[in-house]
């Protein structure tokens, strides 16, 4: 690849910005495209013309009296641009003036990319490449001047402009229809927060009776202040941060809508149409579905981890909690105690009063156990009429006191069921572990279970503690 070709290809963005800056300085941007791609295409087309000339010869293309500029391949882009700009109502003088700054941008690139002093190597001579670029631009300009002033072109100019005007009107109407049809509310704001444009969805947020195209055709000069996000917009304009967030809008008619808000600066590299675009996507229904889904998942998790009769943790969940608390106790050195509790003579309750009454006794037992537990204690139904309580940060002496409180809470007052009142007592076994040693959850539960059955043998309605030393868990 030729050195100049590589330079022009690699520096396409620099060239685009350079000519854009010249156009801004000389106010040509009042009549040029606002979008970056249009400027890139123009630079790419001119670069292609220069590379086309390079492919034939890298000697400067001097001008001759018999040169056929109309059929010059390196000037084809100039002829095309002449036709396009003429159809847009651009004058020859204006087009030639801007082309001088395109030329200057390429010359600036050569000047900044080569040493100031020419070298013996002609491939690094800046004057030679500057002259080459000058002559290519000369040929392009001559070609589009010839194209612009051809007699048949002049005679057809009015017809061409009329056709182009109809096409641009249709193009405007198409994009206006697309803008009005967008389901999300879109607002274009000036730097004072005044609405320059808004689509139908946006207009309806401000006035529910708004019609499609109403703001564009009937109220284009109304000075409507955008009613939301003043602080957020100020921050976005200053820092470029906070451009996406969710918000609950309160509309004039009292309705509340949850929206996803997006801010975006106008993509206008000519700075002709400054402003901020605000897009409001109505996510009210999505949030409602999301809330329902979260509640459904929460209900599923509750069903999977809790006993449906008592609402306590089920067997698997209470054991998982115990294992987590033992792991935590190894890190922080806190004791962990468990209480295994079993209702006394519960079979008699079922046999005497029926299973529905037995279920009610289990429910009331669970309620009373929760009522005396701390927020960070865990109570679970271990199975049948057995309950397991996990006490975090609680040594054996404190656990015994807590177990006595449970026993008194359960047995101090008969339980009322539809069949009458039932006296209920409970036996409890206490075991403690954790602290600086790692204990196995199964071993801790087994120790509490043995203490429970000792309470049963010793007369029921009492608390017993584990007597054997707990084995230390092996890795």
């Amino acid at each position: 690849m030729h050195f100049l070709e590589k330079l022009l290809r690699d520096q396409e963005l620099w060239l685009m910005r350079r000519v854009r800056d010249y156009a801004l300085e000389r106010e040509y941007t009042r009549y040029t495209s606002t979008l970056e791609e249009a400027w890139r295409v123009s630079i790419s087309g001119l670069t292609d013309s220069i590379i086309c000339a390079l492919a034939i010869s890298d000697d400067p293309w001097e001008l001759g009296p018999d040169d056929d500029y109309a059929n010059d391949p390196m000037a084809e882009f100039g002829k095309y641009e002449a036709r396009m700009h003429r159809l847009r109502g651009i004058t020859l003088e204006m087009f030639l003036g801007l082309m001088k700054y395109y030329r200057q941008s390429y010359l600036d690139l050569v000047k900044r990319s080569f040493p100031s002093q020419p070298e013996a190597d002609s491939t690094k001579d800046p004057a030679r490449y500057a002259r080459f670029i000058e002559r290519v631009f000369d040929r392009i300009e001559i070609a589009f001047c010839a194209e612009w002033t051809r007699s048949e072109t002049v005679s057809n100019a009015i017809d061409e402009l009329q056709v182009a005007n109809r096409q641009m009107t249709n193009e405007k109407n198409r994009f206006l229809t697309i803008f009005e049809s967008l389901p999300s509310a879109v607002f274009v704001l000036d730097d004072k927060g005044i609405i320059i444009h808004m689509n139908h969805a946006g207009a309806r947020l401000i006035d529910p009776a708004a019609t499609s195209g109403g703001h564009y055709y009937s109220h284009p000069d109304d000075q409507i202040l955008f009613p939301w996000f003043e602080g957020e917009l100020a921050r976005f304009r200053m820092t470029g941060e906070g451009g996406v967030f969710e918000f609950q809008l309160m509309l004039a008619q009292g309705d509340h809508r949850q929206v996803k808000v997006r801010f975006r600066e106008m993509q206008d590299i000519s700075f002709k149409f400054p402003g901020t675009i605000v897009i409001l996507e109505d996510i009210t229904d999505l949030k409602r579905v999301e809330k329902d889904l979260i509640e459904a998942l929460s209900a599923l998790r509750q069903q999977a981890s809790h006993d449906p009769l008592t609402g306590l943790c089920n067997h698997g969940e209470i054991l998982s909690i115990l294992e987590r608390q033992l792991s935590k106790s190894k890190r922080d050195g806190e004791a962990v105690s468990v209480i295994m509790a079993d209702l006394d003579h519960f079979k008699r309750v079922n046999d005497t009063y029926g299973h529905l009454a037995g279920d009610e006794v289990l429910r009331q037992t669970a309620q009373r156990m929760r009522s005396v537990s701390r927020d960070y204690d865990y109570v679970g139904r271990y199975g049948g009429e057995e309950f397991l309580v996990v006490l975090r940060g609680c040594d054996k002496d404190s656990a015994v006191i807590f177990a006595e409180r449970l026993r008194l809470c359960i047995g101090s007052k008969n339980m009322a069921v539809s069949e009458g009142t039932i006296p209920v007592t409970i036996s409890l076994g206490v075991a403690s572990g954790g602290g600086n040693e790692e204990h196995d959850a199964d071993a801790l539960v087994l120790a509490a279970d043995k203490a429970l059955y000792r309470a049963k043998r010793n007369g029921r309605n009492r608390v017993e503690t584990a007597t054997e030393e707990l084995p230390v868990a092996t890795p």
Side-chain angles (χ1 to χ4, degrees):
M1 180 183 292
H2 195 282
F3 180 83
L4 183 58
E5 178 182 355
K6 185 176 188 307
L7 174 66
L8 298 182
R9 294 295 189 200
D10 291 346
Q11 297 299 316
E12 185 177 88
L13 182 60
W14 186 92
L15 284 166
M16 183 190 72
R17 290 175 176 170
R18 186 70 163 185
V19 72
R20 188 274 315 269
D21 290 343
Y22 276 131
L24 276 171
E25 179 184 344
R26 305 310 305 163
E27 299 185 354
Y28 283 99
T29 49
R30 288 183 297 165
Y31 308 100
T32 60
S33 174
T34 61
L35 301 179
E36 183 174 293
E37 180 63 10
W39 291 82
R40 190 200 65 77
V41 167
S42 66
I43 290 295
S44 179
L46 287 169
T47 296
D48 286 344
S49 297
I50 295 170
I51 292 172
C52 175
L54 273 175
I56 301 172
S57 172
D58 62 359
D59 291 325
W61 283 74
E62 298 299 342
L63 311 176
D66 298 320
D67 287 352
D68 183 6
Y69 299 105
N71 296 308
D72 190 337
M74 72 182 72
E76 192 61 37
F77 178 74
K79 291 159 55 181
Y80 170 79
E81 287 294 297
R83 289 193 294 271
M84 293 299 101
H85 284 75
R86 188 176 63 246
L87 291 175
R88 297 179 189 130
I90 302 298
T91 65
L92 177 60
E93 294 89 339
M94 188 187 303
F95 188 60
L96 281 174
L98 181 58
M99 278 297 293
K100 297 301 181 185
Y101 290 106
Y102 272 93
R103 179 197 295 247
Q104 187 61 53
S105 298
Y106 278 85
L107 294 175
D108 291 345
L109 177 62
V110 169
K111 183 176 180 180
R112 72 188 288 268
S113 302
F114 290 90
S116 56
Q117 297 296 325
E119 299 182 1
D121 183 0
S122 63
T123 63
K124 298 293 180 66
D125 183 0
R128 183 169 182 270
Y129 285 129
R131 188 175 182 83
F132 184 91
I133 288 172
E134 290 268 20
R135 289 297 172 262
V136 172
F137 268 89
D138 286 340
R139 302 181 82 85
I140 292 172
E141 290 175 8
I142 292 172
F144 66 61
C145 285
E147 171 67 22
W148 204 300
T149 57
R150 284 188 299 121
S151 58
E152 61 269 28
T153 298
V154 175
S155 63
N156 293 333
I158 294 177
D159 292 338
E160 287 180 346
L161 286 173
Q162 288 176 339
V163 171
N165 185 59
R166 288 194 295 271
Q167 290 174 341
M168 284 190 290
T169 300
N170 283 333
E171 185 175 356
K172 179 208 73 173
N173 289 334
R174 182 173 71 225
F175 280 101
L176 179 61
T177 302
I178 293 171
F179 182 64
E180 288 289 319
S181 302
L182 292 173
S184 296
V186 182
F187 301 85
V188 182
L189 313 180
D190 67 12
D191 57 359
K192 296 179 181 177
I194 301 298
I195 299 173
I196 303 171
H197 299 296
M198 58 180 163
N199 68 352
H200 188 216
R204 283 177 57 84
L205 290 179
I206 296 174
D207 177 9
T211 58
S212 179
H215 182 262
Y216 183 85
Y217 288 108
S218 302
H219 308 284
D221 298 322
D222 287 0
Q223 296 286 297
I224 303 174
L225 183 66
F226 188 66
W228 304 292
F229 320 128
E230 180 180 0
E232 292 87 347
L233 280 165
R235 178 187 173 210
F236 176 74
R237 292 190 184 106
M238 183 175 297
T239 66
E241 298 175 353
V244 180
F245 58 95
E246 293 181 5
F247 189 83
Q248 182 168 285
L249 286 183
M250 180 180 291
L251 305 181
Q253 62 271 32
D255 189 18
H256 290 79
R257 307 301 293 176
Q258 190 77 15
V259 295
K260 186 170 187 177
V261 185
R262 290 184 176 89
F263 298 155
R264 184 73 181 268
E265 290 298 326
M266 289 280 282
Q267 299 297 293
D268 176 8
I269 67 170
S270 71
F271 306 107
K272 184 164 49 182
F273 302 121
T276 304
I277 299 171
V278 179
I279 302 174
L280 306 182
E281 180 186 356
D282 191 334
I283 56 173
T284 306
D285 293 338
L286 178 64
K287 284 295 180 181
R288 188 178 298 115
V289 171
E290 185 179 282
K291 179 175 177 291
D292 291 343
L293 180 60
I294 290 172
E295 291 176 352
L297 289 173
S298 178
L300 287 173
R301 282 194 292 268
Q302 180 77 8
Q303 292 174 16
S305 61
H306 286 71
D307 174 55
L309 177 64
T310 63
L312 299 177
C313 298
N314 61 22
H315 180 94
E317 180 68 9
I318 195 66
L319 289 179
S320 295
I321 289 171
L322 175 58
E323 289 175 351
R324 291 197 296 271
Q325 293 304 316
L326 286 172
S327 295
K328 184 175 183 298
S329 74
K330 183 183 177 183
R331 296 193 301 271
D332 57 28
E334 285 188 333
V336 176
S337 295
V338 297
I339 300 172
M340 183 70 79
D342 185 86
L343 292 176
D344 297 326
H345 302 299
F346 184 71
K347 185 175 183 302
R348 293 181 188 174
V349 174
N350 282 332
D351 292 344
T352 304
Y353 299 95
H355 287 280
L356 292 179
D359 288 348
E360 181 59 28
V361 167
L362 290 172
R363 277 192 289 267
Q364 291 189 34
T365 299
Q367 291 169 2
R368 293 185 186 187
M369 294 181 81
R370 277 196 296 256
S371 70
V372 297
S373 299
R374 303 168 298 180
D375 291 341
Y376 48 88
D377 295 330
Y378 301 94
V379 184
R381 185 180 178 192
Y382 194 70
E385 66 271 24
E386 282 189 315
F387 301 87
L388 182 64
V389 183
V390 178
L391 304 173
R392 177 169 62 87
C394 190
D395 59 19
K396 182 163 66 175
D397 292 339
S398 298
V400 169
I401 294 171
F402 182 81
E404 282 290 348
R405 191 159 67 244
L406 277 179
R407 186 185 68 81
L408 291 173
C409 181
I410 300 298
S412 61
K413 183 179 179 181
N414 291 350
M415 295 187 182
V417 298
S418 58
E419 290 78 4
T421 59
I422 305 175
V424 178
T425 62
I426 195 167
S427 300
L428 307 101
V430 177
S432 297
N436 295 322
E437 293 183 338
E438 184 176 356
H439 293 115
D440 182 74
D442 291 340
L444 194 59
V445 171
L446 179 60
D449 197 44
K450 289 179 179 178
L452 165 64
Y453 280 96
R454 192 162 55 252
K456 293 282 189 181
R457 289 194 302 271
N458 291 338
R460 293 183 172 82
N461 191 24
R462 59 187 291 121
V463 176
E464 293 285 349
T465 60
T467 57
E468 66 272 22
E469 183 177 343
L470 291 175
V472 176
T474 57

